[in-house]
Amino acid sequence: MTEREREILHLIRENPMISQEEIAKKIGITRTSVAVHISNIMKKGIILGKGYIINESPYIMVIGGTNVDIQGFSRSELRAHDSNPGYVGVSFGGVGKNIAENVARLDINTKFITVFGNDLYGEKIKDHLTKLDIDVSDSLILENEETSIYLSILDSNGEMNVAISSMEIFKKLKPEYLKARNKKIEGAEIIIVDTNLETETINYITNYNAKTKIMLDTVSTKKSEKVKDIIGRFHTIKPNKIEAELLSGIKINSDSDLDRAGKFFLEAGIKNIFITLGSDGVYYINDKKKGIIKNPKVTPVNVTGGGDAFVAGIAHAEFMGKDIDEAAKFGIGASILTILDENTISDKISVENIENKIKEMKL
């Protein structure tokens, strides 16, 4: 679809009874032009007919955080308690938002529920996501609140040295808000949730596990503690080694320890487990397969979005019915493309580019 078609479709999704005159006023074009665009959308099979009945293709729902990313990059060895030469970048981020954007770039219908402040940054992020055809119409918008901010400092190797997150706004996304959107949430093929949400909200989302697959991004060691008592209610999890140790209670120092941790999660009820091992690769296990895929040697430019791209990659593979080993490879391919890019979300992310990267790296 064209950018204008996406804009019109977003308005129709928000209000299926909207008139062509109202659409024309909102986006500043003539009613005749609106009619032409709607006709083109109908020809593509996205709108089924009069009344703007939208042909809803299968979709992935992401529920999680979005924020303004402010990143400081040091040009040389990072010195504490000193002014470091470098440069500062401002972009839109957040675990949930990054996953949703990567999923959408993999040609999957994507819906995203998050919390925006009613401010300039919130408007800009919404506009950015809408242009990517990500449906954010069910997100919570709070008056007199500021959109979340994430501030990080990266060393000359692109590794994060320290970060500060201001994400109190996500405490306002309560189960009551999601309950009013039950049909939309339970209609997803996959629900992806991150632990920036409050414990009660995550717990509520897991109630959908009888109807759909719920995938968890643990985000951080501290935040992963929120799900320790309900870990078995997720279909898929992607902790790193430290998070896996916390959740399983098993210290991981060897491949046999990885197997023990993996079996712990399987016995808890999880179907697919991916434990990321940093430069050592990814361990995966389900009831049919297990293994470790080593990471190829690459020089990262910015590692910040690598984990989010990995989650989007394994979600795409699950959506397409791929085996767990193929999912791990696809996730690694997506992650490599991302960490080789200066931006947290690489504009090179696509199914074709990931498949080519997998072949190039001989994964």
Side-chain angles (χ1 to χ4, degrees), residues 148-176:
S148 172
I149 295 177
Y150 182 81
L151 171 66
S152 60
I153 304 297
L154 283 68
D155 63 23
S156 56
N157 295 317
E159 297 281 354
M160 186 183 72
N161 184 269
V162 67
I164 296 175
S165 61
S166 173
M167 307 187 79
E168 292 296 305
I169 192 172
F170 293 108
K171 292 182 178 180
K172 305 291 180 65
L173 186 61
K174 300 284 189 180
E176 293 76 20

Side-chain angles (χ1 to χ4, degrees), residues 44-108:
K44 293 173 182 177
I46 299 168
I47 295 177
L48 298 181
K50 291 183 177 179
Y52 302 142
I53 300 172
I54 296 175
N55 183 14
E56 192 72 274
S57 59
Y59 58 90
I60 287 178
M61 169 71 78
V62 182
I63 308 175
T66 188
N67 49 257
V68 181
D69 272 342
I70 303 176
Q71 293 182 315
F73 298 84
S74 178
R75 296 192 185 278
S76 56
E77 183 179 352
L78 196 63
R79 293 176 177 268
H81 314 295
D82 198 1
S83 177
N84 291 265
Y87 62 101
V88 175
V90 179
S91 61
F92 304 139
V95 173
K97 175 263 172 193
N98 290 346
I99 293 171
E101 182 167 343
N102 279 308
V103 169
R105 289 177 182 274
L106 295 174
D107 299 324
I108 294 176

Side-chain angles (χ1 to χ4, degrees), residues 1 5-6 8-18 38 41-42 45-59 109 111 133 135 137 184:
M1 287 193 297
E5 288 169 356
R6 289 192 181 99
I8 291 172
L9 185 60
H10 175 68
L11 292 173
I12 291 172
R13 280 184 172 134
E14 287 188 323
N15 177 16
M17 301 305 294
I18 193 170
I38 290 176
I41 297 171
M42 290 175 68
I46 299 168
I47 295 177
L48 298 181
K50 291 183 177 179
Y52 302 142
I53 300 172
I54 296 175
N55 183 14
E56 192 72 274
S57 59
Y59 58 90
N109 187 6
K111 301 184 186 300
D133 203 26
D135 181 1
S137 60
K184 187 78 68 73

Side-chain angles (χ1 to χ4, degrees), residues 33 177-178 227 243 275 333:
S33 296
Y177 183 82
L178 297 179
V227 299
E243 293 159 358
I275 301 176

Side-chain angles (χ1 to χ4, degrees), residues 102 302 305-306 309 334-341 343-346 349:
N102 279 308
N302 177 10
S335 180
I336 290 172
L337 277 177
T338 300
I339 67 175
L340 292 176
D341 198 301
N343 299 307
T344 303
I345 302 291
S346 173
I349 288 291

Side-chain angles (χ1 to χ4, degrees), residues 104-118:
R105 289 177 182 274
L106 295 174
D107 299 324
I108 294 176
N109 187 6
T110 308
K111 301 184 186 300
F112 181 36
I113 295 179
T114 189
V115 186
F116 297 110
N118 189 22

Side-chain angles (χ1 to χ4, degrees), residues 224-232 246-249:
S224 65
E225 293 178 351
K226 298 178 182 180
V227 299
K228 189 172 183 179
D229 295 334
I230 57 170
I231 193 67
L246 182 147
L247 293 169
S248 68

